[in-house]
Amino acid sequence: DTGVSQDPRHKITKRGQNVTFRCDPISEHNRLYWYRQTLGQGPEFLTYFQNEAQLEKSRLLSDRFSAERPKGSFSTLEIQRTEQGDSAMYLCASSLVVGAGTEAFFGQGTRLTVV
Amino acid sequence: AQTVTQSQPEMSVQEAETVTLSCTYDTSESDYYLFWYKQPPSRQMILVIRQEAYKQQNATENRFSVNFQKAAKSFSLKISDSQLGDAAMYFCAPVQGAQKLVFGQGTRLTINP
């Protein structure tokens, strides 16, 4: 399967713990995005990378959140000191941006539950 | 900031019938793209159809078509000959700035056999 893959698919953690999610984009895609989706809502933009550079972060991305994309390949999203409000589906998407209107390809997401 | 409104939280349609999902948005940009994405239960989001704002002709992809009214900032999705596999959450999403999608709240579509 050459689509976007995310790991783990599900994560249950206790409040206050740190968690890290991984996203492997489609090979050679230069853009990688992270979105957060809460139950019954549409995804909300968190951050995106152009190759290895993180070019934009949403106000939703508090200082407890950090994302990296070393070498412009896979990406990780870490949440420190998790809170119950962090419970959500975290979606990763990638695209090969050569112009406007490029399709983004999504992974199946990581569902985080903070207890 | 862009805002997107999908006023129909849920819709249902009989199999083989036609259904239209509505979407309105707000943007200050003159040229942009609009997307409809589909999110089936427990599966990843996939692109259904896209429209470039400067093109007046409405986009069509097989059974899926859009009614794009730029002045009204309206972008509805029509699904013809509905099939059971069309059951999903549908999200309208204009592209803002550097290709990041701004999603509406979604419409849950149920197909009745």
Side-chain angles (χ1 to χ4, degrees):
Chain A
D1 184 60
T2 57
V4 178
S5 63
Q6 293 188 243
D7 183 69
R9 294 287 309 280
H10 303 273
K11 178 71 176 179
I12 300 174
T13 191
K14 292 183 178 180
R15 189 174 50 186
Q17 297 295 304
N18 299 342
V19 294
T20 300
F21 310 140
R22 177 180 171 122
C23 171
D24 286 273
I26 293 173
S27 179
E28 298 184 1
H29 275 191
N30 53 4
R31 286 274 177 91
L32 187 147
Y33 304 84
W34 285 99
Y35 291 86
R36 181 171 70 186
Q37 184 177 22
T38 53
L39 203 60
Q41 301 296 315
E44 297 172 295
F45 169 77
L46 291 179
T47 188
Y48 88 92
F49 293 83
Q50 173 79 18
N51 298 314
E52 68 276 9
Q54 187 175 18
L55 296 188
E56 187 173 348
K57 295 194 289 186
S58 162
R59 291 171 299 162
L60 294 174
L61 215 63
S62 76
D63 56 8
R64 295 185 298 106
F65 288 70
S66 62
E68 294 182 341
R69 192 184 182 196
K71 302 178 184 178
S73 56
F74 71 92
S75 176
T76 58
L77 178 67
E78 181 184 17
I79 309 174
Q80 297 182 326
R81 306 182 302 282
T82 53
E83 302 173 355
Q84 287 190 320
D86 297 331
S87 296
M89 176 76 83
Y90 289 85
L91 298 172
C92 176
S94 71
S95 63
L96 178 61
V97 177
V98 293
T102 306
E103 177 181 359
F105 293 83
F106 284 80
Q108 290 189 284
T110 293
R111 182 170 296 283
L112 173 67
T113 302
V114 181
V115 297
Chain B
Q2 273 189 335
T3 57
V4 182
T5 302
Q6 292 182 248
S7 59
Q8 307 150 316
E10 296 184 357
M11 292 281 285
S12 64
V13 64
Q14 291 294 127
E15 193 176 3
E17 295 295 305
T18 295
V19 64
T20 298
L21 310 183
S22 65
C23 172
T24 58
Y25 60 93
D26 188 22
T27 182
S28 58
E29 301 185 30
S30 58
D31 194 19
Y32 48 91
Y33 277 78
L34 296 148
F35 295 79
W36 277 98
Y37 274 85
K38 166 185 176 181
Q39 189 176 38
S42 302
R43 294 179 60 188
Q44 65 259 54
M45 195 104 60
I46 56 174
L47 178 66
V48 175
I49 197 166
R50 85 188 88 183
Q51 172 81 40
E52 187 167 7
Y54 83 83
K55 289 186 177 179
Q56 294 192 347
Q57 185 173 6
N58 289 324
T60 299
E61 289 284 344
N62 301 314
R63 297 182 295 107
F64 298 88
S65 62
V66 300
N67 183 3
F68 175 50
Q69 303 289 328
K70 189 173 184 179
K73 295 181 181 175
S74 170
F75 183 59
S76 61
L77 174 69
K78 185 171 83 171
I79 306 174
S80 304
D81 186 25
S82 298
Q83 301 176 0
L84 294 178
D86 295 333
M89 285 289 292
Y90 284 82
F91 293 99
C92 171
V95 171
Q96 173 187 359
Q99 306 289 306
K100 66 184 181 189
L101 297 157
V102 179
F103 289 92
Q105 292 184 311
T107 296
R108 182 178 303 280
L109 179 63
T110 302
I111 311 296
N112 300 314

